[in-house]
Amino acid sequence: MITAISRCRILRFRRDRVETAEDVVAVEYPVEIHVNKQLLAVLHATPRDLDALAIGYLMTEGFVRSLDEILDIRVEDGKVYVRVSETVDDRIRIRKAWVVKPVCGGLPGRSLSLLDRISNLKVDSDARWSYKEILNTIKMLNTNAALYRKTGGVHATLLVDARGLKLLKEDVGRHNAVDKVVGSYVLKGFEDFGRVFLACSGRLSSEIVLKAARVGIPLLASISAPTSLGVALAERFAVTLVGFVRGLRFNVYSYPERIIFHS
Amino acid sequence: MITAISRCRILRFRRDRVETAEDVVAVEYPVEIHVNKQLLAVLHATPRDLDALAIGYLMTEGFVRSLDEILDIRVEDGKVYVRVSETVDDRIRIRKAWVVKPVCGGLPGRSLSLLDRISNLKVDSDARWSYKEILNTIKMLNTNAALYRKTGGVHATLLVDARGLKLLKEDVGRHNAVDKVVGSYVLKGFEDFGRVFLACSGRLSSEIVLKAARVGIPLLASISAPTSLGVALAERFAVTLVGFVRGLRFNVYSYPERIIFHS
């Protein structure tokens, strides 16, 4: 049985004090949806109500149009097996021809076994940042997110490097905001992310951590929460994960060595 | 030139007054990324810094590993064309074999022309809700989101039907939380969503509106903002879109006919 929350040891920083604590994070789990014995999709989800998730997904995505089309549903080991009538198979076939096939738009669609295949990824950097830099950078992110102030409907990411270069990008997509600062840094002619730190407004899920690790970014900080898979990957890839940066406090979920707590 | 924000006429409700106003929403636009003349992905993004988005995407997703591999980049009509060295083609080929192909995990991967193909979708419902029901339901969503209270890392969706049945689901994924309440309602034996209303914690982007419209849900309300494409689809599909429900106020972006403003 996979639970919806998991506990982890963190370092909790507030004002000028740092202490170890236990924190609770939301579990992010790749749920495979199999339809008539074929894998249809992998959704990164909270592992609870998986039968409802699968049925809802099939209906809201237009594969299933009525209850009669669902013949059987079975949940096993975080995987859902749905048996449906042949009409649904036809719709899946038609959609396959429609949809952009190759890479799932950079979004989920990765199963756990797939994540295992990238286990050789490791961020090798001795860069360090003081707690003040982390607090100030998030403050700057909040202050300068102009599109967010106007619309309330976007996420922001701020890239800071050792030289003090700062790049802020905003996007309706959490992942896109990260891609844009990375791409913008590269377009300026930089390739080495070993002394780069990203401040984000959105949640630190597995995909964000994976994106950062892929280009070698050692530290990710966010106003928001990490997910369990975000923390697990950060540990595996040696990425420092800082969450809930608010006012004068934050939590460190992995690799606290890169943070200087006393100035 | 596609701008990052768009203006729309809304109805603004506060306390017991309703007035027309102009609001600003973040533009959500499907950006096609073509690599060596092949469409690689469609990202729903803010149409700004598209060259940075494409380069960042290619790097953080592991397709491009250094600047030398990028030979040329061109942005045209919200599409990005990148020419890369053959080594990148090989990586794309390998990933194709890895990744779950069919449906992009229910996430983006839809281009505008594709959205045009679902233009016959129309929610036909004469259901109406009072402003009090909207305010109270969002209040209930906030109060009962237990997983959010524990972790800060999930989204919640509350389904309410005409009988007063209420279903609350939470998930690390915004889309999953919607799928779960829909699936849960279906698992209880209900198929008709014509008198169902969903209260969400997350942003009302095109995908959420599309999911609701597909099963015939007439009203979506959220604590958070809609995107431009969310509003456009809601208008097209005849879905009532209510955003920024906070305290005693909210904005209505489409189909205000379904809301009773005076009790």
Coordinates of all heavy atoms in Angstrom, one line a residue, chain B residues 132-202:
Chain B
K132 N -23.8 32.7 -3.6 CA -23.6 32.1 -2.2 C -23.0 30.7 -2.3 O -22.1 30.3 -1.6 CB -24.8 32.1 -1.4 CG -25.1 33.5 -0.8 CD -26.3 33.5 0.2 CE -26.6 34.9 0.6 NZ -28.0 35.0 1.1
E133 N -23.6 29.9 -3.2 CA -23.1 28.5 -3.4 C -21.7 28.5 -3.8 O -20.9 27.7 -3.4 CB -24.0 27.8 -4.4 CG -25.3 27.3 -3.8 CD -26.2 26.7 -4.9 OE1 -26.9 27.5 -5.6 OE2 -26.2 25.5 -5.1
I134 N -21.3 29.4 -4.7 CA -20.0 29.5 -5.2 C -19.0 29.9 -4.1 O -18.0 29.2 -3.8 CB -19.9 30.5 -6.4 CG1 -20.6 29.9 -7.6 CG2 -18.4 30.8 -6.8 CD1 -20.9 30.8 -8.7
L135 N -19.4 30.9 -3.3 CA -18.5 31.3 -2.2 C -18.4 30.2 -1.2 O -17.3 29.9 -0.7 CB -19.1 32.6 -1.6 CG -19.1 33.9 -2.4 CD1 -19.8 35.0 -1.7 CD2 -17.7 34.3 -2.9
N136 N -19.5 29.6 -0.8 CA -19.5 28.5 0.2 C -18.7 27.3 -0.2 O -18.0 26.7 0.6 CB -20.9 28.1 0.6 CG -21.6 29.2 1.4 OD1 -20.9 30.1 2.0 ND2 -22.9 29.2 1.4
T137 N -18.8 27.0 -1.5 CA -18.1 25.8 -2.0 C -16.6 25.9 -1.9 O -15.9 25.1 -1.5 CB -18.6 25.4 -3.4 OG1 -20.1 25.3 -3.3 CG2 -18.1 24.0 -3.8
I138 N -16.2 27.1 -2.4 CA -14.7 27.4 -2.3 C -14.3 27.4 -0.8 O -13.2 26.9 -0.5 CB -14.4 28.7 -3.0 CG1 -14.6 28.6 -4.6 CG2 -13.0 29.2 -2.7 CD1 -13.4 27.8 -5.3
K139 N -15.1 28.0 0.0 CA -14.7 28.0 1.5 C -14.6 26.5 2.0 O -13.6 26.2 2.7 CB -15.9 28.7 2.2 CG -15.5 29.3 3.5 CD -16.6 30.3 3.9 CE -16.8 30.5 5.3 NZ -18.1 31.2 5.6
M140 N -15.5 25.7 1.6 CA -15.5 24.3 2.0 C -14.2 23.6 1.4 O -13.6 22.8 2.1 CB -16.7 23.6 1.5 CG -16.9 22.2 2.0 SD -18.4 21.5 1.3 CE -19.6 22.7 1.9
L141 N -13.9 23.9 0.2 CA -12.7 23.4 -0.4 C -11.5 23.8 0.4 O -10.6 22.9 0.7 CB -12.5 24.0 -1.8 CG -11.3 23.5 -2.7 CD1 -11.5 22.1 -3.3 CD2 -11.0 24.5 -3.8
N142 N -11.4 25.0 0.8 CA -10.2 25.5 1.6 C -10.2 24.8 2.9 O -9.1 24.4 3.4 CB -10.3 27.0 1.8 CG -9.9 27.8 0.6 OD1 -8.9 27.4 -0.1 ND2 -10.5 28.9 0.3
T143 N -11.4 24.6 3.6 CA -11.4 24.1 4.9 C -11.1 22.6 4.9 O -10.4 22.1 5.9 CB -12.8 24.3 5.5 OG1 -13.2 25.6 5.2 CG2 -12.9 24.0 7.0
N144 N -11.5 21.9 3.9 CA -11.4 20.4 3.9 C -10.2 19.8 3.2 O -10.1 18.6 3.1 CB -12.7 19.8 3.4 CG -13.9 20.1 4.4 OD1 -13.8 19.7 5.5 ND2 -14.9 20.8 3.9
A145 N -9.4 20.6 2.6 CA -8.2 20.1 1.9 C -7.2 19.6 2.9 O -6.2 20.3 3.2 CB -7.7 21.1 0.9
A146 N -7.4 18.5 3.5 CA -6.5 18.0 4.6 C -5.1 17.7 4.1 O -4.1 18.0 4.8 CB -7.1 16.7 5.1
L147 N -4.9 17.1 2.9 CA -3.6 16.8 2.4 C -2.8 18.1 2.1 O -1.6 18.2 2.4 CB -3.7 16.0 1.1 CG -2.6 15.1 0.7 CD1 -2.2 14.1 1.8 CD2 -3.0 14.3 -0.5
Y148 N -3.5 19.1 1.6 CA -2.9 20.4 1.4 C -2.4 21.0 2.7 O -1.3 21.5 2.8 CB -3.8 21.4 0.7 CG -3.2 22.7 0.5 CD1 -2.3 22.9 -0.5 CD2 -3.4 23.8 1.4 CE1 -1.6 24.1 -0.7 CE2 -2.8 25.0 1.2 CZ -1.9 25.2 0.2 OH -1.2 26.4 0.0
R149 N -3.3 20.9 3.7 CA -2.9 21.5 5.0 C -1.7 20.8 5.6 O -0.8 21.4 6.2 CB -4.0 21.3 6.0 CG -5.1 22.4 5.8 CD -6.4 22.2 6.5 NE -7.2 23.3 6.1 CZ -7.2 24.5 6.5 NH1 -6.4 24.9 7.5 NH2 -8.0 25.5 6.1
K150 N -1.5 19.5 5.3 CA -0.4 18.7 5.8 C 0.9 19.0 5.1 O 2.0 19.1 5.6 CB -0.7 17.2 5.8 CG -1.4 16.8 7.0 CD -1.5 15.2 7.0 CE -2.5 14.7 8.1 NZ -3.3 13.7 7.6
T151 N 0.8 19.1 3.7 CA 2.0 19.1 2.9 C 2.2 20.4 2.1 O 3.3 20.7 1.7 CB 1.9 18.0 1.8 OG1 0.8 18.3 0.9 CG2 1.6 16.6 2.5
G152 N 1.1 21.2 1.8 CA 1.3 22.4 1.0 C 1.6 22.0 -0.5 O 1.8 22.9 -1.2
G153 N 1.6 20.8 -0.8 CA 2.1 20.4 -2.1 C 1.1 19.7 -3.0 O 1.5 19.0 -4.0
V154 N -0.2 20.0 -2.8 CA -1.2 19.3 -3.7 C -2.3 20.3 -4.1 O -2.3 21.4 -3.6 CB -1.9 18.1 -2.9 CG1 -0.9 17.0 -2.6 CG2 -2.6 18.6 -1.7
H155 N -3.1 19.9 -5.1 CA -4.2 20.6 -5.5 C -5.5 19.9 -5.1 O -5.5 18.7 -4.9 CB -4.2 20.8 -7.0 CG -3.3 21.9 -7.4 ND1 -3.6 23.2 -7.2 CD2 -2.2 21.9 -8.1 CE1 -2.7 24.0 -7.7 NE2 -1.8 23.2 -8.2
A156 N -6.6 20.6 -4.9 CA -7.8 20.0 -4.5 C -8.9 20.4 -5.5 O -8.9 21.4 -6.1 CB -8.2 20.5 -3.1
T157 N -9.9 19.5 -5.6 CA -11.1 19.7 -6.4 C -12.3 19.2 -5.7 O -12.3 18.1 -5.1 CB -11.0 19.0 -7.8 OG1 -9.9 19.5 -8.5 CG2 -12.3 19.4 -8.6
L158 N -13.3 20.0 -5.6 CA -14.6 19.6 -4.9 C -15.7 19.6 -5.9 O -15.9 20.6 -6.6 CB -14.9 20.6 -3.8 CG -16.1 20.5 -3.0 CD1 -16.1 19.1 -2.2 CD2 -16.3 21.6 -2.0
L159 N -16.4 18.5 -6.0 CA -17.5 18.3 -6.9 C -18.8 18.5 -6.1 O -18.9 17.9 -5.0 CB -17.4 17.0 -7.6 CG -18.6 16.5 -8.6 CD1 -18.0 15.5 -9.6 CD2 -19.8 15.9 -7.9
V160 N -19.7 19.3 -6.6 CA -21.0 19.5 -5.9 C -22.1 19.2 -7.0 O -22.0 19.7 -8.1 CB -21.2 20.9 -5.4 CG1 -22.5 21.1 -4.7 CG2 -20.1 21.3 -4.5
D161 N -23.1 18.4 -6.6 CA -24.2 18.2 -7.6 C -25.5 18.8 -7.0 O -25.5 19.3 -5.9 CB -24.3 16.7 -8.1 CG -25.0 15.8 -7.1 OD1 -25.3 16.3 -6.0 OD2 -25.2 14.7 -7.4
A162 N -26.5 18.7 -7.9 CA -27.8 19.4 -7.5 C -28.4 18.8 -6.3 O -29.1 19.5 -5.5 CB -28.8 19.3 -8.7
R163 N -28.2 17.5 -6.0 CA -28.7 16.9 -4.8 C -28.0 17.3 -3.5 O -28.3 17.0 -2.4 CB -28.4 15.4 -4.9 CG -29.5 14.5 -5.4 CD -28.9 13.1 -5.5 NE -29.0 12.6 -6.9 CZ -28.1 12.7 -7.8 NH1 -27.0 13.4 -7.6 NH2 -28.3 12.2 -9.0
G164 N -26.8 18.0 -3.7 CA -26.0 18.4 -2.6 C -24.9 17.4 -2.3 O -24.2 17.6 -1.3
L165 N -24.7 16.4 -3.1 CA -23.6 15.4 -2.9 C -22.3 16.2 -3.1 O -22.2 17.0 -4.1 CB -23.7 14.3 -4.0 CG -22.6 13.3 -4.0 CD1 -22.6 12.4 -2.7 CD2 -22.6 12.4 -5.2
K166 N -21.4 15.9 -2.2 CA -20.1 16.6 -2.3 C -18.9 15.6 -2.3 O -18.9 14.7 -1.5 CB -19.9 17.6 -1.2 CG -20.8 18.8 -1.3 CD -20.7 19.7 -0.1 CE -21.6 20.9 -0.2 NZ -23.1 20.5 -0.3
L167 N -18.0 15.7 -3.3 CA -16.8 14.8 -3.3 C -15.6 15.7 -3.4 O -15.5 16.5 -4.3 CB -16.9 14.0 -4.6 CG -18.0 13.0 -4.7 CD1 -18.1 12.4 -6.1 CD2 -17.9 11.9 -3.7
L168 N -14.7 15.5 -2.5 CA -13.4 16.2 -2.5 C -12.2 15.3 -2.7 O -12.1 14.2 -2.1 CB -13.2 16.9 -1.1 CG -11.9 17.6 -0.9 CD1 -11.9 19.0 -1.6 CD2 -11.6 17.8 0.5
K169 N -11.4 15.6 -3.7 CA -10.2 14.8 -4.0 C -9.0 15.8 -4.0 O -9.1 16.9 -4.5 CB -10.3 14.1 -5.3 CG -11.5 13.1 -5.3 CD -11.3 11.9 -4.4 CE -12.5 11.0 -4.3 NZ -12.4 10.1 -3.1
E170 N -7.9 15.3 -3.6 CA -6.6 16.0 -3.7 C -5.6 15.2 -4.4 O -5.6 14.0 -4.3 CB -6.1 16.3 -2.3 CG -7.1 17.2 -1.5 CD -6.6 17.5 -0.1 OE1 -6.8 16.7 0.8 OE2 -5.9 18.5 0.1
D171 N -4.7 15.9 -5.1 CA -3.6 15.2 -5.8 C -2.5 16.2 -6.1 O -2.7 17.4 -6.2 CB -4.2 14.7 -7.1 CG -3.3 13.6 -7.7 OD1 -2.2 13.9 -8.2 OD2 -3.8 12.4 -7.6
V172 N -1.3 15.6 -6.2 CA -0.1 16.4 -6.6 C -0.3 17.0 -8.0 O 0.4 18.0 -8.3 CB 1.2 15.6 -6.6 CG1 1.7 15.3 -5.1 CG2 1.2 14.4 -7.4
G173 N -1.2 16.5 -8.8 CA -1.4 17.0 -10.1 C -2.8 17.7 -10.2 O -3.8 17.2 -9.7
R174 N -2.8 18.9 -10.7 CA -4.0 19.7 -10.9 C -5.0 18.9 -11.7 O -6.2 18.9 -11.4 CB -3.5 20.9 -11.7 CG -4.3 22.2 -11.6 CD -3.3 23.4 -11.9 NE -2.5 23.2 -13.2 CZ -2.9 23.6 -14.4 NH1 -4.1 24.2 -14.5 NH2 -2.2 23.5 -15.4
H175 N -4.6 18.3 -12.8 CA -5.4 17.6 -13.7 C -6.0 16.3 -13.0 O -7.1 16.0 -13.2 CB -4.7 17.2 -15.0 CG -4.0 18.3 -15.7 ND1 -2.8 18.8 -15.3 CD2 -4.4 19.1 -16.7 CE1 -2.4 19.8 -16.0 NE2 -3.4 20.0 -16.9
N176 N -5.1 15.7 -12.2 CA -5.5 14.5 -11.6 C -6.6 14.7 -10.6 O -7.5 13.9 -10.4 CB -4.3 13.8 -10.8 CG -3.2 13.5 -11.7 OD1 -3.4 13.3 -12.9 ND2 -2.0 13.3 -11.2
A177 N -6.6 15.8 -9.9 CA -7.6 16.1 -8.8 C -9.0 16.2 -9.5 O -10.0 15.8 -9.0 CB -7.2 17.4 -8.1
V178 N -9.0 16.8 -10.7 CA -10.2 16.9 -11.5 C -10.7 15.5 -11.9 O -11.8 15.1 -11.8 CB -10.1 17.9 -12.7 CG1 -11.3 17.7 -13.7 CG2 -9.9 19.3 -12.2
D179 N -9.7 14.8 -12.5 CA -10.0 13.4 -12.9 C -10.6 12.6 -11.8 O -11.5 11.8 -12.0 CB -8.8 12.7 -13.5 CG -8.4 13.3 -14.9 OD1 -9.2 14.0 -15.5 OD2 -7.3 13.0 -15.4
K180 N -10.0 12.7 -10.6 CA -10.5 11.9 -9.5 C -11.9 12.2 -9.0 O -12.6 11.2 -8.7 CB -9.5 12.1 -8.3 CG -8.2 11.2 -8.4 CD -7.3 11.4 -7.2 CE -6.1 10.5 -7.4 NZ -5.2 10.7 -6.2
V181 N -12.3 13.4 -9.0 CA -13.7 13.7 -8.6 C -14.7 13.2 -9.7 O -15.7 12.6 -9.4 CB -14.0 15.1 -8.2 CG1 -13.4 15.5 -6.9 CG2 -13.7 16.1 -9.3
V182 N -14.3 13.4 -11.0 CA -15.1 12.9 -12.1 C -15.2 11.4 -12.0 O -16.3 10.8 -12.0 CB -14.6 13.4 -13.4 CG1 -15.2 12.6 -14.6 CG2 -14.7 14.9 -13.6
G183 N -14.1 10.7 -11.9 CA -14.1 9.2 -11.8 C -14.9 8.7 -10.6 O -15.6 7.7 -10.7
S184 N -14.7 9.4 -9.5 CA -15.4 9.0 -8.2 C -16.9 9.1 -8.4 O -17.7 8.3 -7.9 CB -14.9 9.9 -7.1 OG -15.5 9.6 -5.9
Y185 N -17.4 10.2 -9.0 CA -18.8 10.4 -9.3 C -19.3 9.3 -10.2 O -20.4 8.7 -9.9 CB -19.0 11.8 -10.0 CG -20.4 12.3 -9.9 CD1 -21.0 12.6 -8.7 CD2 -21.1 12.6 -11.1 CE1 -22.3 13.1 -8.7 CE2 -22.3 13.2 -11.1 CZ -23.0 13.4 -9.9 OH -24.2 13.9 -9.9
V186 N -18.6 8.9 -11.2 CA -19.0 7.9 -12.1 C -19.0 6.5 -11.4 O -19.9 5.7 -11.6 CB -18.0 7.8 -13.3 CG1 -18.2 6.6 -14.2 CG2 -18.2 9.1 -14.2
L187 N -18.0 6.3 -10.5 CA -18.0 5.0 -9.8 C -19.2 4.9 -8.8 O -19.5 3.8 -8.4 CB -16.6 4.9 -9.0 CG -15.4 4.5 -9.8 CD1 -14.1 4.6 -9.0 CD2 -15.5 3.1 -10.4
K188 N -19.7 6.0 -8.4 CA -21.0 6.0 -7.6 C -22.2 5.7 -8.5 O -23.3 5.7 -8.0 CB -21.1 7.3 -6.9 CG -20.2 7.5 -5.7 CD -20.5 8.7 -4.9 CE -19.4 9.0 -3.9 NZ -19.2 7.9 -2.9
G189 N -22.0 5.6 -9.8 CA -23.1 5.2 -10.7 C -23.7 6.4 -11.4 O -24.7 6.2 -12.1
F190 N -23.1 7.6 -11.3 CA -23.7 8.8 -12.0 C -23.0 9.0 -13.3 O -21.8 8.9 -13.4 CB -23.6 10.0 -11.1 CG -24.2 9.9 -9.8 CD1 -23.5 9.9 -8.6 CD2 -25.6 9.6 -9.7 CE1 -24.1 9.8 -7.3 CE2 -26.2 9.5 -8.4 CZ -25.5 9.6 -7.3
E191 N -23.7 9.4 -14.3 CA -23.1 9.6 -15.6 C -23.4 11.1 -16.1 O -22.8 11.6 -17.0 CB -23.7 8.7 -16.7 CG -23.1 7.3 -16.5 CD -23.3 6.6 -17.8 OE1 -24.4 6.2 -18.2 OE2 -22.2 6.4 -18.5
D192 N -24.4 11.7 -15.5 CA -24.9 13.0 -16.0 C -24.2 14.1 -15.2 O -24.5 14.2 -14.0 CB -26.4 13.0 -15.9 CG -27.0 14.3 -16.4 OD1 -26.1 15.2 -17.0 OD2 -28.2 14.6 -16.3
F193 N -23.4 14.9 -15.9 CA -22.7 16.0 -15.2 C -23.4 17.3 -15.4 O -22.8 18.4 -15.1 CB -21.2 16.0 -15.6 CG -20.4 14.9 -15.1 CD1 -20.4 13.6 -15.7 CD2 -19.7 15.1 -13.9 CE1 -19.6 12.6 -15.2 CE2 -18.9 14.0 -13.4 CZ -18.9 12.8 -14.0
G194 N -24.6 17.3 -16.0 CA -25.3 18.5 -16.3 C -25.6 19.5 -15.2 O -25.9 20.6 -15.4
R195 N -25.7 18.9 -14.0 CA -26.0 19.8 -12.8 C -24.8 19.7 -11.8 O -25.0 19.9 -10.6 CB -27.3 19.4 -12.2 CG -28.4 19.4 -13.2 CD -29.8 19.5 -12.6 NE -30.7 20.0 -13.7 CZ -31.0 21.3 -13.8 NH1 -30.5 22.2 -13.0 NH2 -31.7 21.7 -14.9
V196 N -23.6 19.5 -12.3 CA -22.5 19.3 -11.4 C -21.6 20.6 -11.6 O -21.5 21.1 -12.7 CB -21.6 18.1 -11.9 CG1 -20.2 18.2 -11.4 CG2 -22.3 16.8 -11.3
F197 N -21.0 21.0 -10.5 CA -20.1 22.2 -10.5 C -18.8 21.8 -9.8 O -18.8 21.1 -8.8 CB -20.9 23.4 -10.0 CG -20.3 24.3 -8.9 CD1 -18.9 24.7 -9.0 CD2 -21.0 24.7 -7.8 CE1 -18.4 25.6 -8.1 CE2 -20.5 25.5 -6.9 CZ -19.2 25.9 -7.0
L198 N -17.7 22.2 -10.4 CA -16.4 21.9 -9.8 C -15.7 23.1 -9.2 O -15.6 24.1 -9.9 CB -15.4 21.3 -10.8 CG -15.7 19.9 -11.5 CD1 -14.5 19.5 -12.2 CD2 -16.2 18.9 -10.5
A199 N -15.3 23.0 -8.0 CA -14.5 24.1 -7.3 C -13.0 23.6 -7.3 O -12.8 22.5 -6.8 CB -15.0 24.4 -5.9
C200 N -12.1 24.3 -7.8 CA -10.7 23.9 -7.9 C -9.8 24.9 -7.2 O -10.1 26.0 -7.1 CB -10.3 23.9 -9.4 SG -11.4 23.1 -10.5
S201 N -8.6 24.3 -6.8 CA -7.6 25.2 -6.2 C -6.7 25.7 -7.2 O -6.0 26.8 -7.0 CB -6.9 24.4 -5.1 OG -6.1 23.4 -5.7
G202 N -6.6 25.0 -8.3 CA -5.5 25.4 -9.3 C -6.0 26.3 -10.5 O -7.2 26.6 -10.6

